[in-house]
Amino acid sequence: GQVYDAGEMSFLQKDHIYIQGGAVVKGYVYDLRRTDDVSIRGCGILDGRGYGKRDGVRIGSSDNLSIENIILLNRMYWSLRLDLCNNALVDNVKVIAVCPENDRWDENDAFHLIGCTNTTLRRCFGYSWDDAFNIGTTFNTTSRESYGCTISDAIAWNVHPGNSFEIGWLINEDNHDHRLENCYAIHSGTKDAKNYRAGVSIHNDGTGSIYNISYKNIYIEDPTEHGIYMGVFNNEDGAGQIYDITMTNINMLKSPPRGITLRGLDVEHKVRNITFNGLYIEGTKITWENLSDYESSDFPMRHYENIKFN
């Protein structure tokens, strides 16, 4: 039940960091070495605020990592970031990242995976002023194929810019075979200048492909821009693909202002093979016959192929 000022922590001395319930540890965890079979556990609070643009927890190149039950407070920059980790488990972790200065577009993600494989986020809560949950492959000099990740029984509260449940942004390696199940987006924020924020989103601004993504039992309570957005963008290196996406029992409890948007870049970089097995907006099942009622007139769908509504 005490407050500790730990500053920067790593697994150099200890394989396991334990924060007892009732304790508040002021500091952050930073370890990019090859550190296998390590953990951060306990029911206490890790307070990463006050250290400038630092990730609250950043761990890289770890096998069999586990982070369980802690509460993580953060402000500027990413809260919990895993780079190139394999077989990691993040279970029952709550992130509260309050960052009103994010009007300047400073990063503030709650949970962010970069180039991770076979990694699970379950029973987690993310409150942030940018992406609440994100699975990506590339950021700055870190880049690797990502596959086999799961986000389940998760709750997201995205405040202003960013997305609630995001796969993407810069994708220079393939990003595939991920599952999102039993996820709830309380609020999905927006920034009018961007026009592609959503409760559930896939953004590909790279040369890799995003494919074989499965969504099941997803609830989007308060989308303030798009409910679902999938888009391919073009950067200086070229463009990638988005295909083979399955969405089952997707429920928007409020009609999103910009609706459902699938936007390929051109005829060679389409959004394709998208299957909706039960997509509902305010209780109405969406079909091709009524889709136009929920499509944004100023941001319509384009360059898509083989979209099915079952």
Side-chain angles (χ1 to χ4, degrees):
Q2 299 184 46
V3 177
Y4 302 87
D5 190 352
E8 181 176 308
M9 293 174 281
S10 72
F11 299 106
L12 185 62
Q13 293 84 18
K14 300 290 184 181
D15 291 334
H16 308 286
I17 296 172
Y18 183 82
I19 304 175
Q20 187 178 33
V24 178
V25 176
K26 294 182 178 294
Y28 57 95
V29 179
Y30 181 85
D31 201 325
L32 302 184
R33 302 168 301 115
R34 181 77 192 196
T35 50
D36 296 341
D37 304 302
V38 296
S39 70
I40 304 172
R41 292 176 175 162
C43 297
I45 295 173
L46 176 61
D47 187 351
R49 299 171 297 179
Y51 296 95
K53 288 188 177 182
R54 306 233 28 146
D55 304 309
V57 174
R58 184 180 176 189
I59 300 172
S61 302
S62 174
D63 282 359
N64 306 319
L65 163 73
S66 64
I67 304 175
E68 303 177 43
N69 302 322
I70 66 167
I71 298 171
L72 174 58
L73 306 182
N74 200 42
R75 188 174 180 87
M76 190 72 72
Y77 225 55
W78 293 351
S79 299
L80 194 154
R81 172 180 173 179
L82 304 184
D83 293 357
L84 315 180
C85 290
N86 177 60
N87 197 35
L89 171 64
V90 181
D91 185 18
N92 193 31
V93 172
K94 281 78 70 177
V95 169
I96 309 294
V98 180
C99 188
E101 60 267 50
N102 210 23
D103 282 341
R104 301 196 307 263
W105 293 98
D106 294 307
E107 297 281 359
N108 177 242
D109 295 8
F111 298 88
H112 202 127
L113 308 180
I114 298 291
C116 291
T117 56
N118 303 315
T119 290
T120 297
L121 306 179
R122 72 184 184 200
R123 302 191 304 160
C124 292
F125 172 81
Y127 175 99
S128 63
W129 286 59
D130 204 347
D131 298 336
F133 293 83
N134 192 325
I135 302 175
T137 67
T138 308
F139 188 76
N140 292 337
T141 60
T142 300
S143 188
R144 191 178 74 174
E145 178 184 19
S146 177
Y147 57 84
C149 296
T150 298
I151 300 174
S152 66
D153 301 294
I155 299 175
W157 189 334
N158 158 252
V159 178
H160 195 15
N163 309 270
S164 294
F165 294 97
E166 157 79 338
I167 293 180
W169 186 255
L170 181 59
I171 303 296
N172 283 337
E173 305 284 349
D174 285 358
N175 199 7
H176 60 97
D177 291 281
H178 303 307
R179 294 185 300 115
L180 289 85
E181 297 182 353
N182 305 326
C183 293
Y184 196 103
I186 294 176
H187 176 78
S188 301
T190 185
K191 190 72 172 178
D192 289 339
K194 288 296 182 179
N195 297 325
Y196 38 69
R197 308 299 185 182
V200 172
S201 56
I202 300 178
H203 297 100
N204 191 347
D205 185 30
T207 57
S209 293
I210 301 175
Y211 58 93
N212 287 352
I213 311 296
S214 171
Y215 298 84
K216 184 177 181 181
N217 300 335
I218 309 296
Y219 294 83
I220 303 170
E221 181 176 330
D222 184 27
T224 57
E225 195 170 314
H226 299 274
I228 296 173
Y229 184 97
M230 301 182 198
V232 178
F233 300 83
N234 187 28
N235 67 21
E236 60 185 11
D237 297 320
Q241 305 279 344
I242 297 175
Y243 59 92
D244 293 351
I245 312 297
T246 302
M247 293 191 158
T248 302
N249 190 30
I250 312 299
N251 297 269
M252 301 181 203
L253 307 186
K254 175 183 175 182
S255 183
R258 289 194 173 97
I260 305 159
T261 303
L262 312 179
R263 286 173 71 90
L265 178 66
D266 51 38
V267 294
E268 295 181 354
H269 303 90
K270 294 181 178 180
V271 175
R272 54 189 171 87
N273 300 344
I274 314 298
T275 301
F276 295 96
N277 295 315
L279 171 62
Y280 303 89
I281 296 180
E282 295 182 335
T284 299
K285 188 173 183 178
I286 306 304
T287 65
W288 274 114
E289 285 70 26
N290 64 9
L291 177 62
S292 60
D293 296 336
Y294 300 96
E295 184 181 2
S296 172
S297 59
D298 60 343
F299 215 67
M301 304 203 312
R302 68 182 186 188
H303 299 310
Y304 57 86
E305 181 180 278
N306 193 26
I307 312 301
K308 297 180 180 178
F309 292 91
N310 298 325

